[in-house]
């Protein structure tokens, strides 16, 4: 069993897109630089979506211009369409993330189009990305439940996954957007998807609404997953999924992984300090249990 787990830090995008206050680009840049200083291998730096839909991400151009991209770190940016792709490419992005859903209603609310239309948009984006030698990660939302439709058929998830891989996505992130999933269902879904797509290409993306995220991640590790999305200080949510809480906290995931003897290349102490710092910038509670406990133990 491979003992290295790649943590994909989504706080600067999934986290900050859902905060009430829009942080200045300089603070977003500092967050990303602090995270890379912790040894985080993949940092989602922002999104090039419509600023009318998500104003918090409006100046992602300035964020990409401000970061000192390290060759060993990946900095994907979220892109919904060709306009977003052009903004990303012009800003020097070397990797993008495209997104769709396993729920029709969520797709409409999140991107104003059906799943099929979103796949067509993604096809145009992946073609342009291939020509520009830009790597593409793919997200599927609502894989374990939808805020509008409830239960989701796993076959739909598999079908959407297959389409994304066919279009050239090198990695697929399975999103439990509203955090309703439970371990046995999460494990079963990953195994089902992994029967057609190599498990090495699968990432898991849990929001922690029902407190199931760490248990779900453990169940997915058991199914062979080695790529985990998380957000420092548990920042985040989804503007188009009311009630969805933040992503599982990166500090909690790293603490669990290291306890299991798995390697991440991340320094937990620096990560906890970064979670504390960004929580103070946002004047919000630090939602990482491990981060808060770690810092308290050092100050005891
Ligand atoms: P639309 O309104 O149907 O699009 O939105 P449109 O093509 O009619 O464009 C409307 C306006 O936006 C136009 O400007 C466009 O030029 C502009 P106007 O003529 O009105 O002045 N526009 C853009 N501007 C900048 N960058 C762009 C862009 N595209 C259009 N890329 C659209 C369709 C897809 C654009 C919109 O629905 C959108 O941006 N949605 C993004 C919503 C979003 O970011 N959601 C959160 C991310 S997904 C997520 O969090 C889930 C995830 O974490 C996994 C999980 O947890 O499940 C990934
Ligand atoms: Mg998310």
């Amino acid at each position: 069993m491979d003992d290295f787990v790649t943590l994909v830090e989504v706080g600067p995008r999934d986290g900050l897109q859902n905060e009430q206050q829009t942080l200045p680009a300089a603070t977003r840049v500092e967050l990303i630089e602090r995270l890379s200083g912790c040894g985080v291998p993949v940092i989602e730096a922002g999104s090039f979506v419509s600023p009318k839909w998500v104003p918090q991400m409006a100046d992602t151009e300035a964020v990409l211009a401000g970061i000192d991209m390290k060759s060993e770190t990946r900095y994907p940016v979220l892109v919904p369409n060709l306009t977003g792709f052009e903004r990303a490419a012009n800003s020097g992005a070397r990797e993008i993330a495209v997104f769709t859903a396993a729920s029709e209603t969520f797709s409409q609310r999140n991107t104003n189009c059906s799943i099929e239309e979103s796949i067509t948009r993604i096809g145009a984006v992946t073609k342009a990305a291939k020509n520009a030698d830009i790597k593409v990660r793919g997200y599927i939302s609502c894989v374990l439940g939808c805020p509008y439709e409830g239960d989701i058929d796993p076959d739909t998830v598999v079908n959407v996954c297959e389409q994304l891989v066919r279009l050239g996505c090198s990695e697929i992130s399975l999103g439990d957007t509203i955090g309703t999933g439970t371990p046995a269902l999460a494990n079963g879904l990953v195994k089902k998807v992994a029967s057609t797509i190599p498990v090495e290409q699968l990432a898991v993306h849990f929001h922690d609404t029902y407190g199931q995220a760490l248990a779900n991640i453990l169940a997915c590790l058991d199914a062979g997953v080695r790529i985990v999305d998380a957000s420092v200080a548990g920042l985040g949510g989804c503007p188009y999924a009311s009630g969805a809480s933040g992503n599982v906290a990166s500090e909690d995931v790293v603490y669990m992984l290291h306890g299991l003897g798995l390697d991440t290349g991340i320094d937990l102490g620096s990560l906890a300090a970064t979670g504390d710092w960004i929580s103070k910038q946002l004047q919000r509670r630090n939602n990482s249990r491990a981060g808060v406990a770690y810092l308290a133990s050092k100050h005891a």
Side-chain angles (χ1 to χ4, degrees):
M1 190 199 281
D2 189 354
D3 67 358
F4 188 87
V5 174
T6 301
L7 187 113
V8 177
E9 170 59 54
V10 297
R13 192 279 304 172
D14 206 351
L16 298 184
Q17 77 181 7
N18 203 43
E19 292 295 330
Q20 295 292 324
Q21 61 167 302
T22 298
L23 288 182
T27 312
R28 292 168 61 193
V29 168
E30 186 169 348
L31 173 61
I32 293 165
E33 297 294 18
R34 282 176 184 252
L35 288 164
S36 76
C38 301
V40 176
V42 189
I43 305 168
E44 198 172 52
S47 68
F48 289 104
V49 301
S50 167
K52 288 181 183 145
W53 285 61
V54 185
Q56 293 91 332
M57 293 287 110
D59 53 357
T60 295
E61 275 92 354
V63 173
L64 285 201
I67 53 182
D68 181 16
M69 287 199 193
K70 290 184 184 165
S71 57
E72 68 274 21
T73 309
R74 289 163 50 199
Y75 302 91
V77 285
L78 198 72
V79 158
N81 53 18
L82 271 180
T83 307
F85 173 77
E86 278 153 22
R87 290 176 61 201
N90 291 337
S91 304
R94 299 189 298 241
E95 179 170 350
I96 58 166
V98 294
F99 57 109
T100 182
S103 150
E104 280 299 342
T105 317
F106 185 83
S107 178
Q108 288 290 351
R109 300 281 179 111
N110 196 35
T111 48
N112 202 23
C113 68
S114 66
I115 298 172
E116 198 181 332
E117 285 164 332
S118 78
I119 297 287
T120 305
R121 282 182 194 172
I122 289 171
V125 169
T126 52
K127 193 172 166 205
K130 192 172 178 202
N131 289 337
D133 203 19
I134 289 175
K135 197 175 156 107
V136 189
R137 171 169 220 258
Y139 279 107
I140 306 174
S141 288
C142 299
V143 300
L144 287 167
C146 168
Y148 312 106
E149 296 183 10
D151 291 345
I152 293 293
D153 182 354
D155 287 333
T156 308
V157 179
V158 172
N159 180 276
V160 176
C161 266
E162 286 173 347
Q163 296 191 66
L164 290 183
V165 170
R166 219 175 290 134
L167 290 176
C169 293
S170 54
E171 181 175 310
I172 306 293
S173 175
L174 299 171
D176 183 16
T177 314
I178 52 169
T180 50
T182 46
L185 290 176
N187 176 282
L189 181 71
V190 164
K191 284 184 177 151
K192 192 170 175 67
V193 175
S195 65
T196 58
I197 293 161
V199 75
E200 296 75 24
Q201 282 181 255
L202 298 180
V204 289
H205 179 108
F206 287 103
H207 288 260
D208 204 23
T209 321
Y210 283 81
Q212 302 295 297
L214 280 183
N216 288 338
I217 291 168
L218 189 57
C220 294
L221 291 170
D222 276 348
V225 167
R226 287 294 176 272
I227 310 169
V228 178
D229 297 359
S231 174
V232 69
L235 302 178
C238 177
Y240 303 101
S242 104
S245 79
N247 298 88
V248 64
S250 306
E251 303 90 313
D252 298 9
V253 174
V254 168
Y255 181 79
M256 179 181 82
L257 292 172
H258 291 180
L260 289 166
L262 297 166
D263 186 16
T264 62
I266 297 171
D267 180 68
L268 178 63
S270 307
L271 191 63
T274 301
D276 187 55
W277 173 81
I278 190 63
S279 300
K280 287 187 174 129
Q281 299 303 308
L282 290 161
Q283 297 175 294
R284 80 198 283 284
R285 196 170 63 122
N286 183 346
N287 279 336
S288 167
R289 303 274 292 270
V292 169
Y294 179 92
L295 293 172
S297 75
K298 296 295 159 194
H299 295 126

